[in-house]
Amino acid sequence: MQLRANPCLCSSDLSGNLMFTLGLDGKEETQTLLQSGCSYCLVVRSESQRAALLAHLCGQPHAVIVPHNGGLISNLSVWENIALPVQYHALALAGTLEENVCRLLLQCGLTDETTVSALLFSSPDQLSLLEKRLAGFVRAMLMRPELIIYDALNEGLSRKELARMAQFDRIFRLYFPLGTSVLVSFDEYRDKENPEQVVIQL
């Protein structure tokens, strides 16, 4: 399937470079400059380091996180989970919300509108781990992030599922070529189709 960006989702006011400074293990500060248009894998050594890094990254302007478990509210349908932040923030989209969601899900690998509808009307506890992350990614994309943070999305997946997960960042890059993406992970992950990805051991 050929991927096409929808210009209505693109942010026109990307601020260029994003900088975060984080104290590691309480001993010293490590300064890292995240370049716009780049993808990073930040490899952490402990749960406390991961939590501190995520908290710091999420505090950046126009940053949106895709949580490890999708971050879905269990008593809402997948559709309600995706629509809620868009409606709450009164985000303007070209076309309907339904059209934008359907387009993104199809780009992420769902085969047709029937499978899209089945996913959207499911409850989170009916979904696989990858499907939960997919819903979280679509929700994040609709927020028009300049910095998108993938919280250990490479962990707990089969090889086939990993290939589908890697598609998320390519879709993000289509819509937001000047955006920055960060995968926070306990394991080093390299996307073979993205030679520009930068891996940083923290």
Side-chain angles (χ1 to χ4, degrees):
M1 176 184 295
Q2 184 178 7
L3 300 178
R4 280 188 223 173
N6 176 11
C8 71
L9 283 178
C10 292
S11 175
S12 59
D13 60 348
L14 292 176
S15 56
N17 295 332
L18 293 173
M19 175 102 132
F20 72 89
T21 306
L22 184 66
L24 301 178
D25 300 327
K27 296 178 181 177
E28 61 180 327
E29 294 221 321
T30 300
Q31 294 189 7
T32 304
L33 181 67
L34 298 181
Q35 303 286 342
S36 17
C38 292
S39 300
Y40 295 86
C41 175
L42 304 183
V43 185
V44 294
R45 295 168 292 169
S46 67
E47 181 58 40
S48 61
Q49 189 184 51
R50 168 184 165 270
L53 179 58
L54 289 174
H56 194 82
L57 287 171
C58 290
Q60 300 291 330
H62 308 292
V64 180
I65 187 170
V66 183
H68 175 76
N69 63 356
L72 306 179
I73 300 170
S74 61
N75 62 342
L76 299 180
S77 69
V78 172
W79 166 253
E80 290 169 327
N81 270 281
I82 291 173
L84 186 62
V86 177
Q87 295 166 343
Y88 177 79
H89 294 286
L91 297 176
L93 299 172
T96 67
L97 177 58
E98 291 85 351
E99 289 169 343
N100 282 277
V101 170
C102 183
R103 184 184 302 109
L104 285 165
L105 287 172
L106 290 171
Q107 288 177 319
C108 287
L110 270 64
T111 54
D112 53 38
E113 292 188 8
T114 301
T115 56
V116 167
S117 293
L119 177 72
L120 292 176
F121 290 105
S122 298
S123 63
D125 61 4
Q126 296 174 302
L127 303 183
S128 68
L129 182 57
L130 178 62
E131 289 171 330
K132 291 177 182 178
R133 293 173 181 175
L134 169 58
F137 171 71
V138 169
R139 182 177 58 190
M141 284 289 291
L142 293 169
M143 301 298 291
R144 299 194 294 274
E146 294 184 15
L147 171 63
I148 192 167
I149 304 152
Y150 307 121
D151 177 16
L153 296 197
N154 58 315
E155 297 174 11
L157 301 178
S158 68
R159 184 172 298 180
K160 183 177 180 181
E161 289 172 327
L162 271 175
R164 287 191 62 189
M165 184 279 300
Q167 194 79 334
F168 294 177
D169 202 52
R170 292 172 207 140
I171 293 167
F172 170 72
R173 196 67 52 213
L174 282 173
Y175 285 93
F176 308 105
L178 296 180
T180 303
S181 66
V182 173
L183 170 66
V184 176
S185 174
F186 288 104
D187 300 313
E188 182 175 315
Y189 174 79
R190 294 183 183 272
D191 182 358
K192 295 178 181 178
E193 295 189 31
N194 182 6
E196 303 301 320
Q197 181 190 38
V198 178
V199 176
I200 301 175
Q201 301 278 348
L202 296 177

Coordinates of all heavy atoms in Angstrom, one line a residue, residues 64-65 67 70-73 81-86 104 134-144:
V64 N 3.9 14.5 22.7 CA 2.8 13.6 22.9 C 3.4 12.2 23.1 O 4.3 11.8 22.3 CB 1.8 13.6 21.7 CG1 0.7 12.6 22.0 CG2 1.3 15.0 21.5
I65 N 2.9 11.4 24.0 CA 3.5 10.1 24.3 C 2.5 9.0 23.8 O 1.3 9.2 23.9 CB 3.8 9.9 25.8 CG1 4.5 8.5 26.0 CG2 2.5 10.0 26.6 CD1 5.0 8.4 27.5
P67 N 1.9 5.5 25.1 CA 2.3 4.6 26.2 C 2.5 3.2 25.8 O 2.0 2.7 24.8 CB 1.1 4.8 27.2 CG 0.4 6.0 26.8 CD 0.6 6.1 25.3
G70 N -0.7 1.5 25.4 CA -1.6 2.3 24.6 C -2.3 3.4 25.3 O -2.8 4.4 24.8
G71 N -2.3 3.3 26.7 CA -2.9 4.4 27.5 C -4.4 4.6 27.4 O -4.9 5.7 27.5
L72 N -5.1 3.5 27.1 CA -6.5 3.5 26.8 C -7.3 3.4 28.1 O -6.9 2.7 29.0 CB -6.9 2.4 25.8 CG -6.2 2.4 24.5 CD1 -6.7 1.2 23.7 CD2 -6.3 3.7 23.7
I73 N -8.4 4.1 28.2 CA -9.3 4.0 29.3 C -10.2 2.8 29.1 O -10.9 2.7 28.1 CB -10.2 5.3 29.4 CG1 -9.2 6.6 29.6 CG2 -11.1 5.2 30.6 CD1 -9.9 7.9 29.5
N81 N -11.8 6.5 23.1 CA -10.5 6.8 23.5 C -9.7 7.7 22.5 O -9.0 8.6 22.9 CB -9.7 5.5 23.7 CG -9.8 4.9 25.1 OD1 -9.2 5.4 26.1 ND2 -10.7 3.9 25.3
I82 N -9.9 7.4 21.3 CA -9.2 8.2 20.2 C -9.8 9.6 20.1 O -9.1 10.6 20.0 CB -9.2 7.5 18.9 CG1 -8.3 6.3 19.0 CG2 -8.7 8.4 17.8 CD1 -8.4 5.4 17.7
A83 N -11.1 9.7 20.2 CA -11.9 10.9 19.9 C -11.8 11.9 21.1 O -11.8 13.1 20.9 CB -13.3 10.7 19.5
L84 N -11.7 11.4 22.3 CA -11.8 12.2 23.5 C -10.8 13.4 23.5 O -11.2 14.5 23.7 CB -11.7 11.3 24.7 CG -12.0 12.1 26.1 CD1 -13.4 12.6 26.1 CD2 -11.7 11.1 27.2
P85 N -9.5 13.1 23.4 CA -8.6 14.3 23.5 C -8.8 15.3 22.3 O -8.6 16.5 22.5 CB -7.2 13.6 23.4 CG -7.4 12.3 22.9 CD -8.8 11.9 23.3
V86 N -9.1 14.8 21.1 CA -9.4 15.7 20.0 C -10.5 16.6 20.3 O -10.5 17.8 20.1 CB -9.6 14.9 18.7 CG1 -9.9 15.8 17.5 CG2 -8.4 14.0 18.4
L104 N -5.6 6.9 8.9 CA -4.4 6.5 9.7 C -4.4 5.0 10.0 O -3.3 4.4 9.9 CB -4.3 7.3 11.0 CG -3.9 8.8 10.9 CD1 -4.2 9.6 12.2 CD2 -2.4 8.9 10.6
L134 N -1.4 0.6 18.7 CA -1.9 1.2 17.4 C -2.9 2.3 17.7 O -2.8 3.4 17.2 CB -2.5 0.2 16.5 CG -3.3 0.6 15.3 CD1 -2.4 1.5 14.4 CD2 -3.8 -0.6 14.5
A135 N -3.9 2.0 18.6 CA -4.9 3.0 19.0 C -4.2 4.2 19.6 O -4.6 5.4 19.3 CB -5.9 2.4 19.9
G136 N -3.2 4.0 20.5 CA -2.5 5.1 21.1 C -1.7 5.9 20.2 O -1.7 7.1 20.3
F137 N -1.2 5.3 19.1 CA -0.4 6.0 18.1 C -1.4 6.9 17.3 O -1.1 8.1 17.1 CB 0.3 5.0 17.2 CG 0.9 5.7 16.0 CD1 2.0 6.5 16.1 CD2 0.4 5.5 14.7 CE1 2.6 7.1 15.0 CE2 1.0 6.1 13.6 CZ 2.1 6.9 13.8
V138 N -2.5 6.4 16.9 CA -3.5 7.2 16.1 C -3.9 8.4 16.9 O -4.0 9.5 16.4 CB -4.6 6.3 15.6 CG1 -5.8 7.2 15.1 CG2 -4.2 5.3 14.6
R139 N -4.2 8.2 18.2 CA -4.6 9.3 19.1 C -3.5 10.3 19.2 O -3.8 11.5 19.1 CB -5.0 8.7 20.4 CG -5.5 9.7 21.4 CD -5.8 9.1 22.8 NE -4.7 8.4 23.3 CZ -4.8 7.6 24.4 NH1 -6.0 7.5 25.0 NH2 -3.8 7.0 24.9
A140 N -2.3 9.9 19.3 CA -1.2 10.8 19.4 C -1.0 11.6 18.1 O -0.7 12.8 18.1 CB 0.1 10.1 19.7
M141 N -1.2 10.9 17.0 CA -1.0 11.6 15.7 C -2.0 12.7 15.5 O -1.7 13.8 14.9 CB -1.1 10.6 14.5 CG 0.1 9.7 14.4 SD 1.5 10.6 13.7 CE 0.9 10.9 12.0
L142 N -3.2 12.5 16.0 CA -4.3 13.5 15.8 C -4.0 14.8 16.7 O -4.6 15.8 16.4 CB -5.6 13.0 16.2 CG -6.1 11.9 15.2 CD1 -7.3 11.2 15.8 CD2 -6.4 12.4 13.9
M143 N -3.1 14.7 17.6 CA -2.7 15.8 18.5 C -1.6 16.7 17.8 O -1.2 17.6 18.3 CB -2.2 15.3 19.8 CG -3.2 14.5 20.6 SD -4.7 15.4 21.0 CE -4.0 16.5 22.2
R144 N -1.2 16.3 16.6 CA -0.2 17.0 15.8 C 1.1 17.2 16.6 O 1.5 18.4 16.8 CB -0.8 18.3 15.3 CG -2.0 18.1 14.4 CD -2.3 19.4 13.6 NE -2.7 20.5 14.4 CZ -4.0 20.7 14.8 NH1 -4.9 19.8 14.4 NH2 -4.3 21.7 15.5

